Amino acid sequence: MFRSQRVVVDGTASEWTRVESGVPQGSVLGPTLFLLFINDLPDYVNCKVKLFADDCILYRVIQNQVDSDKLQSDLNKAAFWEEHWYMKFNPDKCKTMHITRSRNPIINSYTLHTTELETVKTSKYLGVTLSEDLSWNTHIDQSVKKANSRLNFVRRNLRSASEHTKTVAYQTLVRPLVEYASVVWDPHYVTQIKKLEMVQRSAARFVCNRYHNTSSVTSMLEYLNWQSLERRRQIARLCFMYKIVNGLIDIPRDIYFFSTIRSTKPHTFQTYHCQTNYYKFSFFPYTIVDWNKLPGEVALLPTLDAFKAHFSN
């Protein structure tokens, strides 16, 4: 049995039409029903699949033309799954991105419903902009631009507000824009770090209402007791690692962490051997180095709240 819907504008109603797919948005069972509905998609394809709500990524390592053909075959199988479950993919919203450092990459076009998918250099996934060169320049630039725009909005509307109100507005409306998912993209380049810190330095001038060139922003940050964004990102990475180490998140610890041999520190792990900066400064290799520097009494704290509290002192 199908549900029906129609549109009503100024008392005039359209004809009823059947709703042949989907679940009611906002319903209690809606998310569970949707997950049950889409959860078998990976069973139809051979490549790796990442599902999050209604976002889906299919990806495969392409080493030769055979791999490329297999990926196209999986797209065809996804279209079969779509038809089987009365779904309708929109090829115009589907993109192809080639992530490679090879000088002679295998570049092929792919189709869905006989429509050639657009090839892009960057693509946003779950709020994070991925780039074909594995850099975070685009994501950071976009985040900084959006944060500065939001800060200007707050500045215009809270010009006469108290210092406390300005602080709350910055920490609630602006800072999250430059910290969202930072455990993934935490930069190591000085230029990127400075771009992000400039957002907070501008916010400090706004909160303290001191815009003169001779005013020390560093002293303002000390007065406000604000940690640098770089330090906050490091703490966020360490807290995320604490969750993994202690089984508080569904990421298997034993795949990524190996205890150090003959170490006098039971909480430490083997560091990764990295041949590129792309890998060296990704989450696991980057964070293990910081984790191993923690005192044992901190790394072995019994609760996440206690662990977080250590860094707020």
Side-chain angles (χ1 to χ4, degrees):
M1 181 177 180
F2 292 99
R3 296 190 311 276
S4 299
Q5 67 181 26
R6 64 177 178 175
V7 178
V8 179
V9 178
D10 294 333
T12 302
S14 68
E15 297 293 331
W16 287 98
T17 184
R18 294 201 313 178
V19 180
E20 299 181 356
S21 64
V23 294
Q25 189 171 5
S27 63
V28 175
L29 284 177
T32 301
L33 291 173
F34 182 82
L35 291 177
L36 290 172
F37 192 74
I38 200 174
N39 206 44
D40 68 335
L41 174 57
D43 297 335
Y44 280 69
V45 299
N46 295 314
C47 64
K48 295 182 179 179
V49 180
K50 295 297 181 184
L51 295 173
F52 187 90
D54 60 347
D55 281 303
C56 176
I57 285 184
L58 277 67
Y59 62 100
R60 173 185 287 275
V61 176
I62 305 298
Q63 296 179 323
N64 49 52
Q65 186 58 44
V66 173
D67 291 328
S68 180
D69 293 340
K70 288 181 179 179
L71 181 55
Q72 179 59 62
S73 175
D74 282 337
L75 286 170
N76 297 338
K77 292 176 182 177
F80 173 77
W81 174 90
E82 160 201 36
E83 181 179 354
H84 180 72
W85 288 112
Y86 301 100
M87 296 282 284
K88 290 184 179 180
F89 293 145
N90 185 352
D92 294 334
K93 293 185 178 181
C94 300
K95 314 294 182 184
T96 299
M97 186 164 68
H98 304 280
I99 300 177
T100 179
R101 298 177 65 245
S102 173
R103 294 182 179 180
N104 300 299
I106 300 173
I107 304 296
N108 288 290
S109 59
Y110 299 92
T111 61
L112 182 64
H113 297 168
T114 70
T115 300
E116 183 174 333
L117 301 182
E118 178 186 0
T119 299
V120 296
K121 295 182 179 297
T122 63
S123 181
K124 182 168 287 190
Y125 179 62
L126 303 181
V128 177
T129 301
L130 308 176
S131 301
E132 65 174 3
D133 61 357
L134 297 178
S135 76
W136 297 110
N137 292 329
T138 302
H139 176 78
I140 291 173
D141 287 346
Q142 291 176 349
S143 298
V144 167
K145 182 179 179 180
K146 189 173 182 179
N148 282 327
S149 177
R150 183 75 60 82
L151 179 59
N152 288 335
F153 173 82
V154 171
R155 186 184 288 118
R156 289 193 303 270
N157 288 275
L158 297 178
R159 185 174 296 125
S160 303
S162 67
E163 188 176 285
H164 172 73
T165 299
K166 291 179 179 179
T167 298
V168 171
Y170 162 66
Q171 294 179 345
T172 305
L173 301 175
V174 180
R175 191 169 66 185
L177 298 177
V178 289
E179 292 192 328
Y180 173 74
S182 64
V183 296
V184 175
W185 54 263
D186 185 11
H188 64 281
Y189 290 115
V190 174
T191 53
Q192 295 176 336
I193 293 173
K194 286 184 175 179
K195 282 182 182 179
L196 293 161
E197 295 295 343
M198 284 303 297
V199 175
Q200 179 154 279
R201 293 175 72 85
S202 297
R205 285 189 177 276
F206 161 64
V207 171
C208 295
N209 197 30
R210 294 169 59 187
Y211 295 97
H212 198 277
N213 291 337
T214 59
S215 300
S216 170
V217 180
T218 301
S219 64
M220 297 180 206
L221 294 170
E222 292 175 354
Y223 164 72
L224 295 169
N225 197 27
W226 288 358
Q227 292 177 320
S228 69
L229 297 182
E230 181 180 15
R231 174 59 172 165
R232 286 177 56 82
R233 291 193 300 273
Q234 181 189 45
I235 294 172
R237 286 190 290 105
L238 288 170
C239 288
F240 195 79
M241 182 160 173
Y242 181 95
K243 294 178 183 179
I244 300 173
V245 170
N246 291 279
L248 302 178
I249 194 169
D250 191 20
I251 295 178
R253 162 181 166 166
D254 295 340
I255 294 179
Y256 301 103
F257 302 137
F258 304 95
S259 298
T260 51
I261 302 174
R262 300 173 185 173
S263 174
T264 57
K265 298 181 179 180
H267 72 281
T268 60
F269 300 99
Q270 292 183 35
T271 56
Y272 283 56
H273 175 67
C274 307
Q275 295 182 332
T276 66
N277 282 341
Y278 295 101
Y279 187 35
K280 180 179 179 180
F281 293 102
S282 61
F283 173 76
F284 288 108
Y286 198 14
T287 309
I288 284 177
V289 173
D290 291 335
W291 179 271
N292 288 348
K293 294 177 183 178
L294 293 175
E297 60 269 20
V298 175
L300 298 175
L301 283 168
T303 66
L304 179 60
D305 287 339
F307 186 76
K308 288 180 178 179
H310 166 77
F311 298 105
S312 62
N313 297 330

